[in-house]
Amino acid sequence: LLGHGDIAEEVRRSLREAGEGNPLFVEEMLGMLIDQGRLREEAEGWTAAGVLGAIEAPPTIQALLAARIDHLAPGERDLLERASVIGKLFSGEALAALVDGNGLAGLLAALIRKDLIRPDPTADDAFRFRHILIRDAAYLGLPKEARADLHEEFASWLEQARPGRLREYEEILGYHLEQAFFTLQQLTPNDEQVWQIGVRGSGYLSAAGRRALARGDIPAAANLLRRAATLLPPGHPERPRLRLDAAEALTEQGGFAEAEALHQAAIEEAHELSDRVLEATARIQEMELRYTIDPEAVAESVVGEVEALLPELQALEAHDGLARAWRLVLFVREMGL
């Protein structure tokens, strides 16, 4: 790890005892000792500065990393924390949007020397945390309000920096607005401005989710659409529609229990919104699910329920519901032949 030069036996012994066989502990404690100036490189090798004594190891690797980050210079720690909001991989351009640009290059160089971040070979201006636990420790060191503000600030910067390419970044934008929303909900529940952040995030996640559904990426679609629905306030007309789309994706991948819960929630919300077209269509989808789970047990009752809904669907001109209804009836009857 030190690259060259020998290490004093007292240092080696203290690290062995403190690390208790965990190589990651040893690696991070070695870095912390160098950061603090307690381990110095001299002509004859690495030696302790003064009396090293017993090294007190924090109880977990997370605590050890948090302690190491706490001992950074203020500017270095601030930069590391803001980079953690962007993610494990980040660019200098994105980081400059979240920090004062003065001295950015020097701070990045200092964090590289301390092996907390590394240049990423994929691009000239790209960096990454040395491992995800460092990113997590830096992220958790931020106060919740600051964390939420930075997520929203990054999303706003990305919208402005890539106006013609937002489709490429929808999932990333949705993620950052989602994190801002959930963090602020813990601090100020049901605040109107917080719900507006959720609505913004839902728009990006739902667009990405519906494209995933169209191209057959069912796991991604189920994940994105379910999250998109969660970001919308009660009474929002799009929420039950997203629940139905998510339920359809979950049914495709065999998540029947969760799909059933989403169907019931969508039916109740559509009823509360007095959206009879959506409510009737949701009931057809719920019947499709029941038939998928246990076709022999429900075939006869499902056909009866569907046929009872057909006149209303026709009167409402609920074309999606009608198409689903006739498809289900046809499928049940063909399977019964």
Side-chain angles (χ1 to χ4, degrees):
L1 291 173
L2 293 172
H4 56 86
D6 199 4
I7 184 171
E9 181 55 34
E10 65 164 317
V11 178
R12 190 188 304 276
R13 184 174 58 253
S14 294
L15 285 168
R16 274 202 308 266
E17 291 172 357
E20 296 183 339
N22 186 321
L24 188 55
F25 261 78
V26 173
E27 185 175 359
E28 293 303 333
M29 283 190 292
L30 193 62
M32 185 169 66
L33 292 174
I34 295 171
D35 292 347
Q36 296 173 355
R38 297 173 66 189
L39 185 62
R40 295 177 183 170
E41 185 181 17
E42 298 181 354
E44 63 274 16
W46 292 85
T47 59
V51 179
L52 187 64
I55 302 173
E56 294 184 5
T60 65
I61 185 63
Q62 290 83 0
L64 174 57
L65 289 168
R68 187 177 177 194
I69 291 169
D70 282 342
H71 283 91
L72 293 174
E76 295 170 0
R77 176 178 175 177
D78 184 61
L79 189 71
L80 200 69
E81 289 173 341
R82 289 167 185 265
S84 74
V85 171
I86 301 171
K88 185 180 178 181
L89 179 68
F90 57 94
S91 69
E93 179 194 14
L95 193 55
L98 301 183
V99 299
D100 183 352
N102 294 329
L104 178 59
L107 293 171
L108 284 169
L111 293 173
I112 291 170
R113 282 197 307 273
K114 294 177 180 180
D115 205 20
L116 292 167
I117 64 172
R118 292 174 176 174
D120 187 83
T122 60
D124 292 337
D125 190 38
F127 304 88
R128 65 169 57 245
F129 284 87
R130 182 164 56 82
H131 56 72
I132 194 64
L133 293 177
I134 296 175
R135 181 266 170 189
D136 291 347
Y139 184 77
L140 293 174
L142 277 166
K144 287 185 177 180
E145 188 171 2
R147 199 185 305 168
D149 288 345
L150 287 168
H151 276 296
E152 188 182 4
E153 188 177 344
F154 176 76
S156 297
W157 168 79
L158 189 55
E159 288 172 329
Q160 295 170 9
R162 307 287 189 272
R165 299 170 56 192
L166 291 184
R167 186 168 175 172
E168 299 175 39
Y169 295 98
E170 282 172 343
E171 194 170 341
I172 295 172
L173 286 161
Y175 164 79
H176 283 282
L177 292 168
E178 176 186 46
Q179 294 305 305
F181 170 78
F182 282 128
T183 303
L184 290 172
Q185 275 281 57
Q186 298 173 29
L187 302 174
T188 54
N190 297 318
D191 182 271
E192 178 60 31
Q193 290 184 335
V194 176
W195 279 117
Q196 289 176 7
I197 294 171
V199 170
R200 280 176 66 199
S202 179
Y204 287 121
L205 292 178
S206 62
R210 283 172 172 147
R211 274 204 312 281
L213 191 62
R215 68 175 180 265
D217 188 352
I218 302 303
N223 173 47
L224 292 165
L225 292 168
R226 182 176 43 198
R227 288 161 56 197
T230 306
L231 295 179
L232 295 176
H236 194 287
E238 189 65 13
R239 192 157 83 158
R241 299 179 190 278
L242 286 170
R243 292 195 194 279
L244 290 177
D245 289 342
E248 187 169 356
L250 285 163
T251 300
E252 287 288 327
Q253 69 178 83
F256 298 142
E258 191 172 358
E260 188 173 12
L262 287 171
H263 276 133
Q264 292 302 320
I267 290 169
E268 292 172 9
E269 289 175 347
H271 181 75
E272 291 170 2
L273 289 166
S274 299
D275 189 339
R276 186 57 189 156
V277 172
L278 184 60
E279 182 182 353
T281 303
R283 290 189 184 281
I284 297 295
Q285 285 189 238
E286 189 268 336
M287 293 175 206
E288 290 177 327
L289 175 62
R290 279 194 281 136
Y291 183 76
T292 301
I293 295 171
D294 194 352
E296 292 183 4
V298 303
E300 188 174 340
S301 62
V302 160
V303 170
E305 290 178 49
V306 171
E307 289 179 340
L309 270 175
L310 283 174
E312 183 178 8
L313 289 167
Q314 290 170 341
L316 292 168
E317 297 184 352
H319 301 297
D320 182 36
L322 279 167
R324 288 177 176 275
W326 283 116
R327 183 182 65 184
L328 181 56
V329 170
L330 178 63
F331 189 70
V332 172
R333 287 177 175 167
E334 284 189 340
M335 291 299 290
L337 292 177

